[in-house]
Amino acid sequence: MFKDMFNRDSSLSFEVFPPKKDDEFENCYKVLSSLSTLNPDFISVTYGAGGSRSKKTVEIASYIQNDLGIDAMAHMTCVGSTADDILSVTNDLKTVGVNHVLALRGDKPRDMSDEQFEKRIFPHATDLIQFLNKNTTLDISASCYPEKHPEAISMDSDIAFMKMKQDMGAKMFISQLFFDNADFYRFVERAEKAEITVPIVAGIMPITSAKQIGSTVTLAGSSVPKALADICAKYAESPEDMRAAGIEYAIKQIQDLRKCGMGHIHIYCMNKPKMTAEICNALV
Ligand code: FAD
């Protein structure tokens, strides 16, 4: 799994999203080339909720793996997929030599009815992981939630399903973004007590505009500590200062994680190489 990154105390990986339109690929390749100069341990590529844009994920993952020579991880959701759909994507990944996937359920796509969602073929990420483990040789990672998944009835049940993901074959977890490291430390302690033994990588999203905090929190269900809320309020009318303060907040989060022995970090870098470089350069 990703060379020797877990033999070291710290690592950095990035998450990018594939272009929405065909004419945006060139720009995405430029973004990726810039990110590659920061020597990430791997770059992961997101996947459209219903799987409709899976080819774009494969194409970008292939570019990372083959043109940039950096390990790529393709995200994959199963909420709208049949077994054949999944196998078609895994065959595409095999063809281009991408061996790592982040196996996810995904959220209900907008164009999916409640009934279709209830009757989905792969109910959960655990089902996808089991299927991938049985039918492919892919290295499988999965998601986890330091503040619990918004649908989970309790943290205990969410962690029990996390353990099931590990038992089904997940070799690593990447966490949902969080803004208060104390949440992550508590979560890791509970996960370890529940016999989660595979590495848990911390997901960090830098907040570079006051507007971003609203959409991010709604989407991820992450809570906003007072220190970050104060930053957003203070610099709401001053975009440059907000950007600098948001980047500084992310750097401090990462430095604290490293100090506490949890130095494996996945940056939700939102295809922003300049911002990502500023963070990486501050960490050396
Ligand atoms: P699951 O693990 O299935 O969990 C969903 C809920 O069901 C939880 O409440 C859990 O406790 C419960 N549960 C889990 N297993 C079972 C079970 N066997 N039986 C009963 N209940 C169960 N979305 C995208 O569309 N594309 C992406 O590329 C993408 N990348 C992501 C990357 C990361 C690191 C993270 C953390 C999330 C990402 N997401 C992405 C969002 C993700 O799809 C949503 O959070 C989604 O709501 C849940 O997906 P999951 O795989 O965590 O679901």
Side-chain angles (χ1 to χ4, degrees):
M1 190 82 184
F2 294 129
K3 296 181 194 136
D4 63 345
M5 70 180 252
F6 294 112
N7 296 333
R8 286 180 270 124
D9 290 339
S10 65
S11 65
L12 278 177
S13 53
F14 306 147
E15 177 180 298
V16 299
F17 52 82
K20 291 198 174 63
K21 297 184 192 143
D22 287 345
D23 61 3
E24 292 168 352
F25 269 86
E26 276 315 309
N27 186 47
C28 189
Y29 292 148
K30 276 191 204 142
V31 164
L32 289 165
S33 295
S34 298
L35 288 173
S36 74
T37 63
L38 303 170
N39 294 319
D41 286 273
F42 69 92
I43 301 179
S44 81
V45 189
T46 64
Y47 194 83
S52 54
R53 293 201 299 270
S54 67
K55 297 261 181 232
K56 291 191 165 67
T57 300
V58 175
E59 201 168 331
I60 295 299
S62 171
Y63 182 79
I64 293 164
Q65 187 77 45
N66 300 304
D67 295 71
L68 299 177
I70 292 171
D71 276 327
M73 169 190 272
H75 296 204
M76 180 184 275
T77 65
C78 60
V79 63
S81 303
T82 63
D84 283 348
D85 295 334
I86 299 293
L87 288 177
S88 162
V89 180
T90 61
N91 281 335
D92 289 347
L93 290 172
K94 192 173 176 190
T95 306
V96 299
V98 171
N99 299 317
H100 302 271
V101 289
L102 183 69
L104 301 149
R105 183 198 70 182
D107 289 317
K108 181 167 101 48
R110 275 198 212 109
D111 59 358
M112 183 182 261
S113 68
D114 289 345
E115 196 189 348
Q116 284 169 323
F117 184 68
E118 287 306 315
K119 289 186 176 161
R120 62 196 185 273
I121 294 166
F122 291 92
H124 286 285
T126 43
D127 304 286
L128 177 62
I129 294 166
Q130 188 175 37
F131 179 82
L132 292 173
N133 210 13
K134 195 166 159 213
N135 294 286
T136 74
T137 55
L138 288 161
D139 272 343
I140 305 164
S141 296
S143 59
C144 65
Y145 298 82
E147 297 178 74
K148 90 173 181 59
H149 185 271
E151 293 165 33
I153 52 166
S154 67
M155 182 59 103
D156 281 344
S157 90
D158 214 22
I159 289 181
F161 290 126
M162 189 180 167
K163 171 74 164 59
M164 202 187 280
K165 292 181 190 185
Q166 175 182 280
D167 293 344
M168 298 291 183
K171 292 182 182 158
M172 177 178 102
F173 288 98
I174 301 181
S175 90
Q176 182 59 286
L177 58 98
F178 58 90
F179 300 113
D180 186 344
N181 286 0
D183 289 330
F184 188 72
Y185 301 142
R186 267 193 300 272
F187 167 71
V188 171
E189 201 181 322
R190 287 176 79 160
E192 283 172 357
K193 275 196 188 131
E195 294 176 18
I196 307 291
T197 52
V198 301
I200 301 175
V201 175
I204 297 294
M205 177 175 275
I207 297 295
T208 52
S209 77
K211 205 175 75 191
Q212 189 192 341
I213 195 87
S215 53
T216 303
V217 171
T218 313
L219 218 66
S222 311
S223 56
V224 181
K226 187 172 179 309
L228 184 58
D230 286 350
I231 288 173
C232 293
K234 185 171 174 193
Y235 298 122
E237 305 301 326
S238 173
E240 275 310 304
D241 291 335
M242 177 63 228
R243 182 182 178 281
I247 288 174
E248 196 190 326
Y249 190 93
I251 291 168
K252 284 194 177 142
Q253 258 195 294
I254 296 171
Q255 286 170 332
D256 184 68
L257 284 158
R258 283 184 167 183
K259 209 169 65 195
C260 293
M262 301 196 192
H264 297 288
I265 311 290
H266 193 62
I267 302 181
Y268 292 99
C269 74
M270 297 167 293
N271 296 26
K272 292 181 181 167
K274 191 164 173 282
M275 172 199 81
T276 312
E278 285 172 48
I279 294 172
C280 292
N281 293 337
L283 294 171
V284 289

